[in-house]
Structure formats: structure tokens, C-alpha cells
């Protein structure tokens, strides 16, 4: 059994009542057996198992646990990066937690994810300057007055969020290769270059750096680009590796 097939046990559709006898083959596992197997995997690969369950929306507690475990891992390994090793001991945990939180959010992203609208900063409305005609009560001539008003954001249509799907491939991961299309005269599909065939936009690393700067100014943008971003990407990769390990462990336990 894989992690994806295990999700159905957390979202049962209905209770099935039947007079058919249960299979007695040794390889047939009951629901209780499946739950026990997942409990074993949770102890064997806690980070990967919790990260996956949080990603698919099974439990917010799993999401928080995954971030906590990733933060602990970051604290154990961050001293390999000189810029992070030099952080004050009272600041380092907060920085690692911030990196772990963003890494987990990036790990959970998909073409179906939503992100705050950049145009209105998630507010749904933007400030605009309009010119209106004001009539004078004393009977004088009308005059133009410039005013600041809030108008509906056209990008998100007031929702405050937009799709994280890639604009070129619309979440499919494949788009028309313009160069080859022009050469051959026919539409040629290829891996989307904007999103590297992922189908969605990743969280900008500059956004992560801005959050870190809200905690400490010890990590400059140049330092972030040289070593900080690589460590952040390593944390995202760690979650993917842990998920793969949890999936393998579940397959072995239920084999």
C-alpha cells in the first residue's frame, strides 16, 4: 500500500453493510491492520508521514508536526553554513522555524494551490485615484476633485487570492515550444520552461529572505543568494526525501 492509497482510510465515504464473509487469506488486511501499519510507519518515518498527511489535508496537527520536525532538523544541520552558524543563539531557532515553515509551504504547493494576490497584497481591493465633479453649495461653478477610493482588484476579482498554476502551461507542466513550432510550422509541445514542468509557481526565495530580515539583519541578500537559499532548498528536498522514505516503509509493512 502506498501513501496515496492510504488517504482513503482517513476520508471514509460510507459504511458498507454486506452479508458476504470477509476474506480469510493471509495477505488480506483489515482496516485495523491498515491503521496499525500506518502507526508503525509514523514511528519509522515521522517527518515524511506527517508531511504527507498535512499536504493532503488530513490533519493540521500533522502539518504543525512536520514543521516542528523540520525545524529541529534545520537546527541540527544549519551550522554547516557559515552565515547561519554565526547567528545568535536566541535568534537562530526563530530563523530556522521561518525557513522550515516556508519550505513546508513550498513542498505542499501544487497547480491547485492558491496564493495571495500580488496586485492587492491579498486585500481584494486596491487604492485608486479618481476625479469627481463637486458642485458648490453656494451656487458657484463645479470643480474637479481628486479622491483616493478603494476599487475591486481586477487580478483576483476581490477574492484576495489567485491560482498558483503556471501561467504558461496552466498547471499541465507542458506548453508549446515556440522556437520548435516556428521551425516546423506545427505546434510542438515540450516541458514548460517557466515552471520547469512542475505546473505551478514556487514561493519566491526573495519572499523568504524578507521574512528572515524581519527577524535579523545578519543575512544580507548577497549572503542569502550564496548560501542561505541553498540551505532553504535543501529543506524542501529533505521533505520530499522523507515522504519517499515513508512511502517505501508503508509498502514494506503492508507487503
Amino acid at each position: 500500500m502506498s501513501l496515496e492509497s492510504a488517504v482513503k482510510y482517513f476520508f471514509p465515504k460510507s459504511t458498507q453493510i454486506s452479508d458476504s464473509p470477509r476474506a480469510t487469506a493471509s495477505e488480506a488486511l483489515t482496516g485495523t491492520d491498515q491503521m496499525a501499519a500506518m502507526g508503525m510507519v509514523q514511528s519509522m518515518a515521522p517527518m515524511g508521514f506527517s508531511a504527507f498527511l498535512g499536504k493532503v489535508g488530513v490533519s493540521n496537527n500533522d502539518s504543525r508536526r512536520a514543521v516542528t520536525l523540520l525545524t529541529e532538523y534545520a537546527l541540527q544541520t544549519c551550522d554547516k553554513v557559515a552565515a547561519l552558524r554565526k547567528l545568535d543563539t536566541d535568534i537562530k531557532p526563530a530563523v530556522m522555524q521561518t525557513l522550515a515553515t516556508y519550505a513546508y509551504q513550498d513542498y505542499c504547493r501544487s497547480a491547485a494551490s492558491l496564493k495571495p494576490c500580488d496586485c492587492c497584497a491579498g486585500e481584494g481591493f486596491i487604492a485608486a485615484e479618481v476625479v469627481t465633479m463637486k458642485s458648490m453649495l453656494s451656487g458657484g461653478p463645479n470643480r474637479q476633485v481628486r479622491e483616493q477610493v478603494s476599487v475591486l482588484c481586477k487580478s483576483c476579482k476581490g477574492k484576495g487570492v489567485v491560482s498558483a498554476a503556471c501561467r504558461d502551461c496552466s498547471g499541465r507542466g507542458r506548453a508549446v515550444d515556440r522556437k520548435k513550432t516556428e521551425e516546423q510550422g506545427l505546434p510542438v509541445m515540450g516541458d514548460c520552461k517557466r515552471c520547469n514542468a512542475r505546473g505551478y509557481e514556487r514561493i519566491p526565495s526573495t519572499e523568504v529572505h524578507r521574512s528572515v530580515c524581519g527577524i535579523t539583519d545578519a543575512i544580507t541578500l548577497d549572503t542569502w543568494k550564496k548560501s542561505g537559499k541553498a540551505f532553504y532548498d535543501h529543506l524542501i528536498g529533505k521533505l520530499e526525501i522523507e515522504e519517499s522514505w515513508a512511502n517505501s516503509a508503508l509498502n514494506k509493512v503492508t507487503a
Side-chain angles (χ1 to χ4, degrees):
M1 182 175 66
S2 65
L3 286 175
E4 291 185 358
S5 61
V7 175
K8 63 184 178 182
Y9 291 97
F10 295 93
F11 300 101
K13 292 184 179 180
S14 63
T15 301
Q16 296 182 354
I17 300 176
S18 173
D19 58 356
S20 300
R22 186 175 66 84
T24 56
S26 59
E27 66 269 19
L29 298 177
T30 66
T32 304
D33 296 332
Q34 301 287 10
M35 291 296 105
M38 282 185 269
M40 292 178 62
V41 174
Q42 191 170 22
S43 63
M44 295 167 60
M47 185 189 299
F49 193 74
S50 295
F52 177 80
L53 293 185
K55 179 171 68 172
V56 298
V58 170
S59 169
N60 289 330
N61 289 332
D62 285 302
S63 297
R64 289 190 288 268
R65 188 182 186 215
V67 172
T68 299
L69 292 173
L70 187 61
T71 301
E72 293 175 359
Y73 172 79
L75 287 170
Q76 294 170 3
T77 57
C78 66
D79 286 347
K80 297 178 181 179
V81 181
L84 301 178
R85 184 172 61 249
K86 296 177 181 178
L87 292 175
D88 294 338
T89 55
D90 57 334
I91 293 177
K92 187 180 295 184
V95 173
M96 294 304 109
Q97 185 177 28
T98 299
L99 295 180
T101 301
Y102 273 102
Y104 183 73
Q105 291 176 358
D106 192 279
Y107 157 81
C108 291
R109 268 203 176 186
S110 68
S113 300
L114 298 175
K115 64 176 184 177
C117 178
D118 295 330
C119 183
C120 63
E123 296 294 331
F125 295 87
I126 58 175
E129 188 177 75
V130 297
V131 178
T132 57
M133 296 297 297
K134 297 289 185 179
S135 59
M136 305 302 293
L137 297 177
S138 58
N142 296 340
R143 61 188 182 90
Q144 291 183 344
V145 178
R146 294 182 178 273
E147 296 179 320
Q148 288 284 340
V149 297
S150 294
V151 297
L152 196 70
C153 177
K154 294 182 179 179
S155 298
C156 65
K157 298 180 180 179
K159 296 179 180 178
V161 292
V162 294
S163 173
C166 176
R167 289 176 292 176
D168 285 1
C169 65
S170 300
R172 294 186 294 268
R174 294 180 64 80
V176 175
D177 191 318
R178 296 181 181 179
K179 184 177 181 181
K180 292 184 179 180
T181 297
E182 292 176 357
E183 293 174 353
Q184 300 185 18
L186 294 172
V188 178
M189 301 297 293
D191 290 341
C192 180
K193 296 180 180 179
R194 177 186 289 271
C195 65
N196 293 325
R198 286 187 304 271
Y200 60 91
E201 298 177 4
R202 294 186 61 184
I203 298 176
S205 63
T206 51
E207 180 180 333
V208 183
H209 178 253
R210 283 196 297 270
S211 295
V212 172
C213 288
I215 302 172
T216 177
D217 56 359
I219 303 177
T220 63
L221 184 57
D222 289 339
T223 302
W224 171 256
K225 291 180 178 179
K226 290 179 181 178
S227 57
K229 183 180 179 299
F231 181 77
Y232 165 69
D233 289 337
H234 172 70
L235 294 181
I236 300 174
K238 176 64 175 177
L239 288 170
E240 295 172 349
I241 292 173
E242 289 293 324
E243 180 189 326
S244 179
W245 162 238
N247 188 60
S248 298
L250 186 58
N251 282 325
K252 290 181 181 179
V253 172
T254 57

